C-alpha cells in the first residue's frame, strides 16, 4: 500500500462501514449473515471471499493479518489465540507421524516442551543444534527432517543466528524454515527477506506493547498457510476480535516504540558493562556480543531486551529482583513498562540444569525487558538494586 513501514502500520484498515467511521470499529459478533442460500453455499465452497464465522475470520482479525503480512513482507497469515498457539500450529499443521524437526538449541521453554514432550506422542522426533556449530546442523538433518525451527535473537540468551546462512541451508535441502521473530518484530528484522518460509510471533509482547492481551500470528508462504489455516479453522485457536483490534491499533506506534525500547536498552547495556557487580552483559548491539557484526547486518536496531549475570550466582540474582522497587517482576516482556525476570527459575525452569547452561541461561542471569520510562530512572533503579543486593 505504502513504501514505508510506518505508513502501512498506521493506514491499513478494514473497509469502512455505512457509518463512515474513521477508526476501525469492533466487530464483536460470533457469526455473519448471508444474503441468500446461494451466497452461503459459495462462501462455504470457497468460491467467493467473505466472513462466515469468527472462528474462521472476522474483519478485525483480517485487518490485523493484512497489516502484519504487509509489515513482514509475507504472502499470507493467520492470527492465533497466543504466541504458543502460533508456534505449535506452524509446525504441527505441516508434520505427520514419523517426521523430524531440527531446531536451534536455544528456544523458549514452552517451545522446548512442544518438541520434547508433545510431539513425541505423535512419533515426531527432534534434534537440537548449536547456533555456532555448522557441523551440528549438517549432522542434524535426517532423511525424515521436514522443518527447521529457530529463534533469533534467542530467549533469553540473545544469541543470533545467521538468517542468510540458515535460509540457504534449508533451501538447498528442501526444508521448511520457521523463524520466531518475537524479540525483533518486523520493524527491526524481516526473516522472510533472508529465506524464512514462515514467521511466528507472540503478539502478547512488543506487537501489543502494553501487556494487555494474549495473541499470536503465523505469517508466510501462501501454499504453507493454506494447510495451517485449514488446521486452525478445524481446531479453533483463533484470536478474539477485541484482541485483534487492540494489536492492530498498537501497530500504529510500533516503529516509534521499538526505537525508544532499543535506545533505552542500548544505554542500559552500556552502563551495565562498566558496573563492578556484573559478570556478563548480553545485548545484540554491544560490540562485546559474539555476533555483533551479524546482528548489525540483519537487525535494524538492537531490540528492547538486555540480559546480564550478577556476581554471586543464583542467590544474588534473587536478591537483586527483591531489591527492585518499581520494575515489574513478571515473565512477560515487550511492555511499555520495564520488566525483570529470572529465567532459570521461571520461563526456562522446565529445562534441566545442563540444558539451561548449554544455552547460556546461567543461575545468576537476569532478563530485563527495557521499557519506555526515562533512561535515567531505569539506570538508577538497576543501580540501587545491584548495590542493595550485595
Amino acid at each position: 500500500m505504502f513504501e514505508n513501514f510506518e505508513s502501512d502500520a498506521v493506514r491499513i484498515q478494514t473497509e469502512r462501514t455505512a457509518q463512515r467511521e474513521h477508526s476501525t470499529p469492533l466487530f464483536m459478533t460470533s457469526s455473519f449473515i448471508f444474503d441468500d442460500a446461494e451466497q452461503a453455499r459459495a462462501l462455504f465452497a470457497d468460491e467467493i471471499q467473505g466472513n462466515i464465522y469468527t472462528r474462521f475470520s472476522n474483519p478485525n482479525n483480517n485487518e490485523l493479518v493484512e497489516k502484519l503480512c504487509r509489515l513482514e513482507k509475507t504472502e499470507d497469515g493467520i492470527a492465533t489465540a497466543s504466541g504458543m498457539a502460533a508456534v505449535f500450529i506452524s509446525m504441527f499443521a505441516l508434520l505427520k507421524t514419523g517426521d523430524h524437526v531440527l531446531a536451534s538449541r536455544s528456544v523458549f521453554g514452552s517451545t522446548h516442551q512442544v518438541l520434547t514432550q508433545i510431539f513425541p506422542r505423535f512419533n515426531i522426533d527432534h534434534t537440537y543444534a548449536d547456533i555456532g556449530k555448522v557441523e551440528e546442523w549438517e549432522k542434524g538433518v535426517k532423511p525424515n527432517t521436514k522443518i527447521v525451527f529457530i529463534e533469533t535473537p534467542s530467549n533469553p540468551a540473545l544469541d543470533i543466528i545467521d538468517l542468510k546462512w540458515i535460509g540457504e541451508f534449508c533451501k538447498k535441502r528442501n526444508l521448511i524454515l520457521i523463524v520466531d521473530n518475537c524479540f525483533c518484530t518486523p520493524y527491526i528484522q524481516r526473516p522472510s527477506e533472508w529465506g524464512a518460509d514462515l514467521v511466528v510471533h507472540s503478539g502478547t509482547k512488543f506487537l501489543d506493547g502494553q501487556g494487555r492481551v494474549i495473541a499470536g500470528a503465523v505469517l508466510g508462504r501462501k501454499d504453507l498457510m493454506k494447510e495451517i489455516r485449514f488446521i486452525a479453522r478445524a481446531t479453533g485457536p483463533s484470536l478474539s476480535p477485541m484482541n485483534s483490534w487492540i494489536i492492530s491499533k498498537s501497530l500504529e506506534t510500533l516503529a516509534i516504540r521499538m526505537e525508544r525500547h532499543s535506545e533505552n536498552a542500548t544505554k542500559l547495556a552500556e552502563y551495565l558493562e562498566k558496573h563492578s557487580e556484573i559478570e556478563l552483559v548480553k545485548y545484540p548491539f554491544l560490540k562485546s556480543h559474539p555476533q555483533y557484526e551479524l546482528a548489525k547486518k540483519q537487525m535494524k536496531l538492537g531490540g528492547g531486551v538486555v540480559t546480564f549475570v550478577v556476581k554471586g550466582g543464583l542467590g544474588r540474582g534473587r536478591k537483586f529482583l527483591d531489591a527492585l522497587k518499581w520494575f515489574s517482576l513478571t515473565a512477560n516482556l515487550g511492555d511499555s513498562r520495564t520488566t525483570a525476570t529470572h529465567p532459570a527459575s521461571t520461563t526456562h525452569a522446565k529445562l534441566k540444569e545442563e540444558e539451561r547452561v548449554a544455552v547460556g541461561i546461567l543461575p545468576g542471569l537476569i532478563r530485563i525487558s527495557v521499557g519506555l520510562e526515562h533512561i535515567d530512572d531505569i539506570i538508577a533503579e538497576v543501580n540501587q538494586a545491584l548495590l542493595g543486593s550485595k
Side-chain angles (χ1 to χ4, degrees), residues 316-361:
R316 177 71 184 284
R318 289 176 174 171
K319 286 182 179 179
F320 171 82
L321 289 184
D322 289 338
L324 291 168
K325 294 180 178 179
W326 56 266
F327 281 8
S328 302
L329 303 187
T330 175
N332 194 30
L333 59 91
D335 200 297
S336 58
R337 295 156 291 189
T338 298
T339 69
T341 191
H342 180 245
S345 62
T346 57
T347 55
H348 292 71
K350 300 298 183 183
L351 276 68
K352 297 176 183 177
E353 184 176 356
E354 59 269 24
E355 292 173 330
R356 290 195 295 269
V357 172
V359 294
I361 305 175

Side-chain angles (χ1 to χ4, degrees), residues 267-275 278 281 306 308 382 386:
K267 291 178 179 178
L268 176 62
E270 290 171 347
Y271 169 80
L272 288 169
E273 240 187 349
K274 301 173 184 176
H275 204 290
I278 300 296
V281 182
V306 176
F308 57 92
V382 170
L386 286 170

Side-chain angles (χ1 to χ4, degrees), residues 87 111 149-153 178-183 200-202:
V87 168
T111 305
F149 187 96
I150 66 169
E151 292 178 9
T152 184
I178 304 176
V179 179
D180 185 333
N181 199 32
C182 174
F183 271 30
V200 295
H201 281 284
S202 172

